[in-house]
Amino acid sequence: MIVILKQNAKKEDIEKFTKQIEAKGIKVSPMVGEHTTILGFLGDTTRLDMDDIMAVDIVESVRRVQEPFKNANRKFHPQDTVVRVGKQGVPIGDGRLAVLAGPCSVESEEQIIMVAKEVKRLGATVLRGGAFKPRTSPYSFQGMQADGIKLLLEAKKETGLPIVSELMSIRHIDLFADIDIIQIGARNMQNFELLKEIGRCDKPVLLKRGLANTMEELLMSAEYIMAEGNQNVILCERGIRTFETYTRNTLDITAVPVIKKLSHLPIVVDPSHASGQSWLVEPLSKAAAVIGADGLIIEVHNDPKHALCDGAQSLDFGQFEKVMGELKQLRETV
Ligand code: PEP
Ligand code: MN
């Protein structure tokens, strides 16, 4: 961190400020010019708040030269993190493309078991399914809630597939004891109390990027979870809000290589929520695979036309089979 002091900064004030910073275990290296003094803060500056520094009387401006996240930072952890999911330890981030697939929402026992069996047969290694749904309207289907979780566990028993499902409130955490990956949805990416609570368990977390959040904010949210001890974080690029209205969101494909450069955590792409349209899932999945994503999370439904949530973006079994085939071919080519 580089701190430029005001021209009239008094020597005794500079000394006092230096001592305060050194007391936090940070080395302060001054550069004294004719008119201006610049202080270089060396060491772990992630715990320093730029706003607090700016509020000091003698400070003119502050600049970070290091990212404000540490646990998630590749600089401190050069190797890729491989998150192992469920009893079988299904890997995410081991260099292969993991596919997490299933319906937006659990709708019935018959539906979830049927979808689970099909996506497994076609090569998915994790079953997705929402039980608690974050809907824009309170009058829309809110998910089967606790019953939905029970049915997901049935599907797990039936197929052996580990389960990913969204947790919206810490009040429901006990219901998630046998869920293998806790999804934190886009709308809760900055629910910091929820992130801290999730950080205190050691279950893998699928952290989705918020609708209007930067890549750095996504990594800071991962940092919230990791700072509490849970290192099993999988990031998810699921499209962001832009001025474009043709698609539901805009897939920020650039986030994949940028996140890979900044962080050792695996990143998966959600082409379903990014596009909102089933025909776009195949090209976006291919783009994600080629650019280096660690996985895909894809909505698949037995009867998309009659889905209770997100039918327009859900693939039927035939479409999912085609995407999986194309991805296989692509991997062989690459
Ligand atoms: C979902 O995965 O069904 C979902 C609601 O995702 P997001 O939080 O990305 O909108
Ligand atoms: Mn959905």
Side-chain angles (χ1 to χ4, degrees):
M1 190 177 272
I2 292 168
V3 180
I4 300 171
L5 301 183
K6 287 182 182 155
Q7 287 203 0
N8 59 359
K10 291 200 193 86
K11 202 164 164 242
E12 59 265 32
D13 290 336
I14 300 177
E15 275 169 17
K16 198 173 141 208
F17 180 44
T18 300
K19 281 210 181 88
Q20 276 170 6
I21 298 296
E22 282 174 343
K24 295 177 199 270
I26 286 163
K27 190 168 177 278
V28 178
S29 170
M31 275 198 297
V32 184
E34 208 174 313
H35 302 292
T36 312
T37 294
I38 298 175
L39 303 179
F41 291 178
L42 304 169
D44 181 9
T45 57
T46 45
R47 283 172 196 271
L48 291 183
D49 190 324
M50 298 249 292
D51 292 337
D52 290 351
I53 307 281
M54 261 321 275
V56 176
D57 273 350
I58 57 169
V59 171
E60 176 73 37
S61 64
V62 190
R63 236 180 109 174
R64 269 197 187 282
V65 286
Q66 218 170 53
E67 298 82 11
F69 47 93
K70 189 175 182 199
N71 289 282
N73 201 322
R74 194 179 276 284
K75 280 188 193 140
F76 303 107
H77 189 298
Q79 281 100 17
D80 288 338
T81 284
V82 181
V83 174
R84 305 223 166 245
V85 176
K87 273 208 185 79
Q88 310 94 311
V90 171
I92 299 184
D94 68 341
R96 283 176 293 180
L97 186 76
V99 178
L100 301 74
C104 178
S105 310
V106 181
E107 297 173 7
S108 69
E109 179 169 355
E110 193 192 8
Q111 175 241 18
I112 194 65
I113 305 269
M114 186 198 299
V115 178
K117 284 183 175 162
E118 276 299 295
V119 297
K120 182 180 179 182
R121 185 178 70 79
L122 297 170
T125 51
V126 176
L127 175 68
R128 66 148 288 150
F132 293 91
K133 294 305 303 177
R135 305 303 300 278
T136 300
S137 167
Y139 310 118
S140 301
F141 175 57
Q142 301 287 304
M144 290 184 74
Q145 318 228 334
D147 289 340
I149 298 286
K150 272 191 216 137
L151 296 182
L152 283 166
L153 297 177
E154 283 294 314
K156 172 168 155 174
K157 214 180 330 163
E158 195 72 35
T159 59
L161 286 179
I163 308 288
V164 56
S165 197
E166 177 167 354
L167 175 75
M168 292 206 295
S169 164
I170 204 64
R171 279 188 295 134
H172 302 139
I173 187 80
D174 292 344
L175 294 170
F176 283 67
D178 295 319
I179 296 294
D180 304 283
I181 307 178
I182 293 179
Q183 175 173 323
I184 299 295
R187 289 151 193 86
N188 271 315
M189 188 203 90
Q190 286 193 316
N191 182 338
F192 299 119
E193 286 303 317
L194 184 59
L195 299 178
K196 282 192 247 178
E197 291 280 356
I198 295 305
R200 291 180 202 124
C201 68
D202 61 359
K203 219 183 257 298
V205 180
L206 179 73
L207 178 64
K208 299 188 92 173
R209 181 175 178 184
L211 278 74
N213 286 110
T214 64
M215 299 180 215
E216 185 169 289
E217 285 165 346
L218 173 62
L219 289 167
M220 290 307 285
S221 289
E223 192 71 17
Y224 260 93
I225 299 169
M226 299 173 89
E228 294 294 331
N230 188 351
Q231 307 300 303
N232 299 312
V233 180
I234 304 156
L235 302 168
C236 179
E237 165 55 45
R238 46 78 73 207
I240 50 172
R241 278 273 164 89
T242 67
F243 52 82
E244 182 55 70
T245 54
Y246 190 84
T247 48
R248 183 176 180 181
N249 292 289
T250 298
L251 177 61
D252 182 10
I253 196 79
T254 316
V256 176
V258 172
I259 295 279
K260 288 239 152 254
K261 178 173 160 33
L262 296 175
S263 178
H264 52 90
L265 296 174
I267 177 160
V268 307
V269 166
D270 177 344
S272 310
H273 291 89
S275 65
Q277 300 171 50
S278 58
W279 70 275
L280 280 167
V281 171
E282 181 185 313
L284 297 189
S285 297
K286 286 178 176 169
V290 171
I291 209 162
D294 297 290
L296 293 163
I297 178 162
I298 300 178
E299 287 188 343
V300 179
H301 196 281
N302 52 312
D303 182 9
K305 279 197 187 67
H306 297 103
L308 295 182
C309 183
D310 287 352
Q313 69 195 31
S314 300
L315 303 185
D316 62 25
F317 299 144
Q319 290 166 324
F320 183 59
E321 181 164 18
K322 179 155 181 288
V323 172
M324 293 301 272
E326 296 271 334
L327 288 171
K328 189 163 177 272
Q329 245 183 21
L330 193 67
R331 262 173 303 189
E332 282 159 11
T333 316
V334 172

